Amino acid sequence: MKKDAEARLRSQSGSALSRFLLNPEVGVLIPIVILSIVTTSIKPSFFTWKYFSSILMGSIFIGAAAMGEAFAIMSGEIDLSVGMNGTFSGVMAAYACINWGFGVVPTLLVGLGTGALIGAFNGFCVTKLKLSSWITTLATQFICTGLAVTVSDGYPMSISSLGTSGFTRARPLGLSWLFFIFIGLIVVCDIIIRKTKFGYRLRAVGGNQEFAQMSGINVKRVKMMVFIISGLFAAVGGLFDVLVNASASSTFGVGREFRAIISVAIGGISMAGGAGSMYGAGLGVLLFHTLWYALRILKIDTNLQLVLIGFILLLSVLLDIFRKRVEARRLIGG
Amino acid sequence: MQADESIRFSQDTGAESAGTQQFAMQAINITKRFPGVVANDNVCLNVRKGEVMGLIGENGAGKSTLLKVLNGVYPHGSYTGTLLLDGREIRPASPNDAMLLGVGYVPQEINVLKYFSVAENIFMFDLRMESTRDKPQDGRPVRKSRTPFANFSEMFRATKQLLADNRIDLNPRADVRKLSIGQQQMLMIARALAINPKVLILDEPTTSLSGKDVAQLFMVIRHLQARGVSIIFVTHKLAEIVELTDRVTILRDGKNISVYERSQYNTRKIVQDMIGRDIAAMYVKEAQTPGDEVLRVENLTVEHPYVANRNLIENVSFSVRRGEILGMAGLVGAGRSEACMAIFGMLPVKSGKIFIEGKPVTIRNSQEAVRHGIGMVSEDRKKFGLNFVWDIRNNIGISNLGAVARGPFVLKSALSRRAEKYFKSLRVKARSIDTRVATLSGGNQQKIVIARSLNSQPKLMILDEPTKGIDVGSKNEIYGLINEMTKEGVAVVMISSELPELLAMSDRFVVMAEGKVVGELAQDQATETSVMEMATTTFKTVS
């Protein structure tokens, strides 16, 4: 879809610059660049690899949750449990490691399995019990929080016995292995959404559910798959936490779902469903994180930070809407 | 009350009503144009005081347009012509305006506030009109409240009196959710009566009512009539015209065709006036020799999703063969679409059997329907037909991704080739398959919808109102497409509310009314009259 729009734009008149600016991903990049320039001009040390790499490496936690959220939102639903589902999955993995003496691979599988299971439960409630995904996943969020605290007993659970610290501390190309795994996941997600039958069906369901049904698509099955995938990515986020900290805690993923939703929204994924790009979502996460870091580096009062984040996010979404309106005018007007 | 004044006024303004009978409402030479269509062409409607005037006509005859003019949905100035109420010209600017002037309107769809009581439903309506309630009329209580709080005791009392005056059997305190559809309809009428209308417009009030409720409604209407209220009663059903109305006005193609007095009623003549247009050579029909049976439906029953113990369709049986077009005739709401939606797996089947090529099948969702070789074009193009986010390519290609995929991956070039094939063979007028469907005209959008269904290579094609809302040229092209389908051996089930179209295209007919099949007709038996007479059959039991 995105490609088609590009192709059409290319065939039409317009300067190279305006074409470049109308690219959906560029719409997210612009505020990142502006933000970096402003921050650097105030505090030159911001423009260093040290900060840049820590922004990149720090974005993978919300990033993983945002990938799952992107699937949910593109299919026209929402998943408010991506934060606490990840936390609970991490706790379950640590529990398996500590109490059952599982090795690295089985431990990670327990974590992923827990996430997928919670996702399947969400999917069951939405497709079979016909509950709203807002209510369902909000409830699951509470359930996961409670379970995570119960299982961990409120204490951090160390997984140092797995011996993964060498892996997580390694800095290939100045970044972490987990970061490259995350990039790999974005690429896979993009391929799933744009190139597979499932991706087409998911976008059809998100674009117009009745249309999808008339096209012979099993809407319930697609939605079930979406919630399982979302649960899996929630678990990936939770496991990233566990690996980096070498321990699991019930306090890790608090509030992550809303950061994920915001990132996806500023990444240009239509909140109405049916359209968006996974790379855009990834850049949305990057924008969110750059902002977070910049405010911290500029030593802005913590409370004021939240106010500024709120306003800047609104601004970037407005910018995206404006960009889309210009694009639409060109498509129809041409 | 103000009758003397208005008569004097009418003598000043118009020669029309002077010397003739007293008309409660007159619409004179109403002409309403839409881009490309004249919906009402010099239409006149005269309603006498205390008369039930029937208004009848096919879909698209201009009834709704006329009603919207009468009740102010189309404000004065957006049409030409004159409206007189009690001989005095009125110029309603909005429905609220028309209401204040004394034109009550009860729309076709049930429209009540579910979480409120009967009295609140009526009173809430009244709050907005408190300015007219300053002076008592007919000795009715003043309901204007001077405080910001609702006066519940007064509200219940006033409601009780209103309902008693109009012999409507409802409890003012009843919870609207617990009312039956019939009672909700009564509530809507009571709400319209709360303003003491001189004219009450009822737009197909019996569509969703059972026989007993219809009898109740008729009783209320007769009582209103006795009290001097004039009623405009819009319906599709001939039986109701004969039973209830004093006169009937027939519209067709936006024009007045005839007005009959009760003493002149002749159902045959009325039907002829409703449908009598000449069928030009716009229908192209190439008859095929029907082959083996593709679909057979036996005793299909579908429950109403919200109302207990009511069925949308009941014991519907029919079959269709290869290369054959089965026309499903009936009035809007007769259950034709519901029957087809059930076959396509979009509505749950309560009981009954579906056979595809002689084998019994269960179809629980649309995916299974498509797998069994069923394709469907739905009546509602916007809701079911298209994904407006997408371009033409994806809108066509989505119904058969298996044909253009290798493993789980969709090959874009194969998808484009396939979409291009239908794009060309259906002669869609657009720059390329990259064009977004939102920018296409109605006819071209409909071609995309049909292309999407064809893309899944169905053995059975269900076409629900395939030419709804598209221009004559595109209609003609779509008839051509339907012929091509049958030539290739596809069995077609076609629903259309345009009888001439259905008669010209179909090989055989099933006529439905009130969720049941009321008859089957061969091509040589079917005329507009015979189909219409069957379709207006009601199962009403007058108590």
Side-chain angles (χ1 to χ4, degrees):
Chain A
M1 268 180 25
K2 185 198 84 211
K3 278 264 173 68
D4 307 338
E6 280 167 24
R8 291 205 50 167
L9 285 174
R10 220 168 287 133
S11 69
Q12 285 157 15
S13 60
S15 68
L17 179 69
S18 69
R19 282 203 307 268
F20 175 74
L21 291 178
L22 284 172
N23 190 310
E25 280 85 13
V26 175
V28 195
L29 263 177
I30 294 169
I32 298 181
V33 171
I34 294 173
L35 187 66
S36 306
I37 292 171
V38 170
T39 314
T40 310
S41 64
I42 300 169
K43 184 112 181 170
S45 63
F46 182 72
F47 197 68
T48 55
W49 176 248
K50 185 187 142 209
Y51 278 125
F52 189 56
S53 63
S54 58
I55 289 173
L56 289 179
M57 286 190 287
S59 64
I60 62 171
F61 310 104
I62 291 174
M67 288 298 111
E69 196 67 71
F71 275 96
I73 289 178
M74 255 195 243
S75 76
E77 300 287 342
I78 194 128
D79 189 347
L80 297 175
S81 67
V82 288
M84 294 321 289
N85 180 3
T87 308
F88 176 55
S89 300
V91 166
M92 278 309 288
Y95 184 88
C97 164
I98 295 164
N99 293 284
W100 303 333
F102 278 12
V104 177
V105 174
T107 296
L108 294 180
L109 286 179
V110 167
L112 293 174
T114 307
L117 209 65
I118 302 280
F121 176 75
N122 285 334
F124 172 79
C125 291
V126 171
T127 61
K128 290 285 190 292
L129 305 183
K130 298 191 173 75
L131 299 177
S132 127
S133 57
W134 283 89
I135 299 302
T136 301
T137 57
L138 191 60
T140 326
Q141 185 195 334
F142 283 115
I143 293 169
C144 287
T145 311
L147 287 174
V149 176
T150 310
V151 172
S152 69
D153 212 8
Y155 293 103
M157 303 164 82
S158 168
I159 55 142
S160 48
S161 62
L162 283 182
T164 49
S165 58
F167 172 77
T168 50
R169 282 200 200 121
R171 290 288 175 268
L173 302 173
L175 293 159
S176 66
W177 287 117
L178 290 181
F179 177 75
F180 290 110
I181 290 174
F182 172 59
I183 295 297
L185 287 174
I186 294 185
V187 174
V188 170
C189 285
D190 176 67
I191 290 171
I192 290 175
I193 285 295
R194 277 195 312 113
K195 307 227 160 167
T196 65
K197 287 193 275 188
F198 174 71
Y200 274 84
R201 289 184 183 132
L202 186 154
R203 285 184 286 141
V205 169
N208 180 350
Q209 193 167 314
E210 282 79 18
F211 161 84
Q213 261 180 306
M214 294 306 289
S215 309
I217 292 169
N218 191 335
V219 173
K220 287 182 179 177
R221 187 181 296 171
V222 170
K223 289 204 168 161
M224 188 73 189
M225 284 293 291
V226 163
F227 278 107
I228 291 174
I229 291 173
S230 182
L232 271 173
F233 273 101
V236 169
L239 291 172
F240 279 170
D241 271 323
V242 173
L243 289 171
V244 169
N245 294 295
S247 71
S249 161
S250 56
T251 60
F252 277 166
V254 178
R256 187 172 287 168
E257 56 282 335
F258 291 110
R259 287 168 198 171
I261 292 169
I262 288 166
S263 303
V264 165
I266 57 182
I269 288 182
S270 162
M271 293 314 263
S277 132
M278 282 292 172
Y279 293 123
L283 287 170
V285 175
L286 188 63
L287 171 57
F288 185 78
H289 251 264
T290 312
L291 183 58
W292 198 263
Y293 267 71
L295 292 176
R296 223 185 297 166
I297 282 162
L298 296 174
K299 297 221 168 59
I300 294 198
D301 177 69
T302 339
N303 301 319
L304 194 60
Q305 271 184 27
L306 289 174
V307 177
L308 281 173
I309 284 178
F311 276 112
I312 292 172
L313 291 178
L314 280 179
L315 208 71
S316 63
V317 175
L318 273 175
L319 190 79
D320 191 54
I321 290 172
F322 175 71
R323 190 191 53 73
K324 272 189 197 137
R325 206 172 291 161
V326 174
E327 183 196 356
R329 207 172 294 151
R330 290 174 129 258
L331 280 174
I332 293 162
Chain B
M1 22 148 224
Q2 309 152 324
D4 300 356
E5 189 192 308
S6 53
I7 286 171
R8 236 186 304 122
F9 196 80
S10 77
Q11 283 164 346
D12 295 342
T13 42
E16 291 286 332
S17 59
T20 57
Q21 304 103 325
Q22 275 193 18
F23 288 118
M25 188 169 206
Q26 283 175 281
I28 302 161
N29 295 333
I30 302 293
T31 299
K32 170 76 184 167
R33 290 167 203 277
F34 293 106
V37 199
V38 184
N40 273 1
D41 187 359
N42 277 314
V43 173
C44 295
L45 184 72
N46 297 321
V47 190
R48 293 177 196 141
K49 283 218 168 98
E51 169 185 67
V52 181
M53 167 60 98
L55 182 61
I56 195 165
E58 284 190 300
N59 298 316
K63 289 176 305 200
S64 337
T65 309
L66 182 59
L67 294 190
K68 284 176 181 166
V69 167
L70 295 183
N71 84 344
V73 171
Y74 298 138
H76 176 81
S78 67
Y79 53 88
T80 62
T82 318
L83 292 182
L84 301 178
L85 191 68
D86 277 344
R88 185 207 297 239
E89 185 177 357
I90 56 165
R91 299 177 165 187
S94 68
N96 202 43
D97 216 12
M99 216 153 54
L100 295 174
L101 290 163
V103 183
Y105 175 69
V106 180
Q108 189 178 354
E109 298 83 23
I110 299 284
N111 172 15
V112 290
L113 299 165
K114 282 220 164 116
Y115 297 94
F116 291 91
S117 68
V118 166
E120 283 168 309
N121 261 274
I122 295 169
F123 195 63
M124 206 154 308
F125 204 70
D126 212 12
L127 272 181
R128 277 191 276 154
M129 4 191 45
E130 52 188 13
S131 56
T132 63
R133 318 269 345 150
D134 285 345
K135 45 180 188 283
Q137 297 179 356
D138 297 5
R140 287 268 178 90
V142 179
R143 261 174 276 153
K144 185 176 167 67
S145 167
R146 300 222 176 264
T147 68
F149 304 103
N151 183 347
F152 280 96
S153 60
E154 169 62 15
M155 180 170 83
F156 284 125
R157 205 192 62 71
T159 307
K160 200 171 166 190
Q161 191 183 340
L162 175 75
L163 294 174
D165 284 354
N166 293 295
R167 303 211 180 152
I168 296 175
D169 184 21
L170 285 177
N171 177 359
R173 289 170 197 272
D175 184 342
V176 167
R177 276 172 299 174
K178 291 185 185 140
L179 300 185
S180 71
I181 298 289
Q183 288 171 316
Q184 292 185 11
Q185 181 83 42
M186 285 299 172
L187 171 59
M188 297 207 334
I189 291 172
R191 200 163 57 181
L193 290 174
I195 55 149
N196 275 325
K198 295 174 180 128
V199 177
L200 181 67
I201 303 172
L202 300 172
D203 190 359
E204 299 194 31
T206 60
T207 328
S208 47
L209 298 189
S210 69
K212 211 177 117 217
D213 291 333
V214 171
Q216 181 75 25
L217 173 73
F218 283 12
M219 199 204 78
V220 170
I221 292 176
R222 290 210 174 94
H223 179 69
L224 279 173
Q225 190 183 4
R227 292 182 50 205
V229 178
S230 308
I231 288 151
I232 300 174
F233 185 88
V234 182
T235 185
H236 269 310
K237 297 174 189 168
L238 268 178
E240 291 174 356
I241 290 288
V242 172
E243 190 182 333
L244 186 72
T245 60
D246 300 313
R247 287 196 302 157
V248 63
T249 298
I250 299 158
L251 296 186
R252 189 210 314 150
D253 294 337
K255 295 190 188 76
N256 275 107
I257 299 302
S258 47
V259 179
Y260 293 112
E261 296 282 342
R262 188 169 179 83
S263 55
Q264 308 168 306
Y265 278 7
N266 173 342
T267 47
R268 239 201 153 76
K269 233 160 56 184
I270 294 175
V271 169
Q272 257 174 24
D273 285 352
M274 272 169 71
I275 60 181
R277 77 186 93 175
D278 50 330
I279 305 163
M282 75 170 295
Y283 305 107
V284 275
K285 166 71 181 168
E286 297 166 36
Q288 309 294 330
T289 335
D292 300 332
E293 180 185 277
V294 176
L295 170 80
R296 182 153 46 91
V297 180
E298 284 179 4
N299 297 319
L300 200 67
T301 299
V302 174
E303 264 183 318
H304 196 287
Y306 308 116
V307 184
N309 300 321
R310 260 189 76 190
N311 292 325
L312 287 174
I313 56 164
E314 224 170 276
N315 293 325
V316 169
S317 304
F318 61 86
S319 69
V320 57
R321 300 196 284 170
R322 269 174 68 88
E324 185 185 42
I325 301 177
L326 177 75
M328 289 186 94
L331 303 170
V332 172
R336 298 170 299 170
S337 301
E338 287 77 7
C340 290
M341 288 294 240
I343 294 166
F344 197 66
M346 304 269 286
L347 281 175
V349 174
K350 184 184 169 197
S351 61
K353 288 191 185 114
I354 300 172
F355 299 86
I356 298 284
E357 294 180 329
K359 281 181 262 161
V361 294
T362 45
I363 297 173
R364 285 163 302 187
N365 54 46
S366 59
Q367 188 188 27
E368 290 179 345
V370 171
R371 211 175 277 157
H372 286 301
I374 307 175
M376 181 163 176
V377 172
S378 157
E379 172 185 20
D380 193 335
R381 191 161 57 229
K382 283 215 169 72
K383 189 169 174 212
F384 291 94
L386 297 162
N387 181 355
F388 287 100
V389 185
W390 270 351
D391 55 13
I392 292 175
R393 172 196 356 254
N394 285 359
N395 265 288
I396 295 177
I398 188 71
S399 64
N400 197 350
L401 291 174
V404 292
R406 188 182 295 143
F409 297 102
V410 174
L411 305 173
K412 183 120 182 232
S413 56
L415 180 70
S416 298
R417 268 200 305 279
R418 215 174 157 87
E420 195 83 47
K421 190 181 102 189
Y422 290 104
F423 178 74
K424 289 215 173 97
S425 68
L426 268 65
R427 290 181 292 277
V428 179
K429 283 177 206 79
R431 197 187 292 165
S432 73
I433 54 171
D434 291 325
T435 308
R436 286 207 200 166
V437 292
T439 62
L440 300 179
S441 72
N444 281 303
Q445 285 184 348
Q446 189 69 354
K447 284 185 192 171
I448 304 294
V449 179
I450 293 175
R452 172 180 42 75
S453 301
L454 286 175
N455 182 28
S456 67
Q457 292 175 320
K459 293 179 275 199
L460 168 73
M461 185 68 132
I462 300 169
L463 302 170
D464 191 353
E465 306 280 0
T467 64
K468 189 179 177 183
I470 62 177
D471 60 284
V472 180
S474 305
K475 277 185 184 180
N476 194 280
E477 284 187 84
I478 284 176
Y479 301 140
L481 282 175
I482 298 172
N483 278 321
E484 276 167 48
M485 286 179 215
T486 54
K487 207 185 285 173
E488 281 162 30
V490 175
V492 175
V493 174
M494 180 168 166
I495 298 176
S496 175
S497 292
E498 276 187 48
L499 254 185
E501 164 184 294
L502 197 67
L503 285 169
M505 296 302 296
S506 312
D507 299 299
R508 208 154 50 77
F509 301 86
V510 167
V511 186
M512 285 186 74
E514 298 186 359
K516 301 185 182 79
V517 171
V518 287
E520 245 192 88
L521 294 168
Q523 197 173 28
D524 52 357
Q525 297 170 310
T527 62
E528 299 199 20
T529 322
S530 64
V531 171
M532 267 311 236
E533 271 173 3
M534 253 188 195
T536 46
T537 310
T538 51
F539 299 94
K540 194 177 65 180
T541 48
V542 182
S543 52

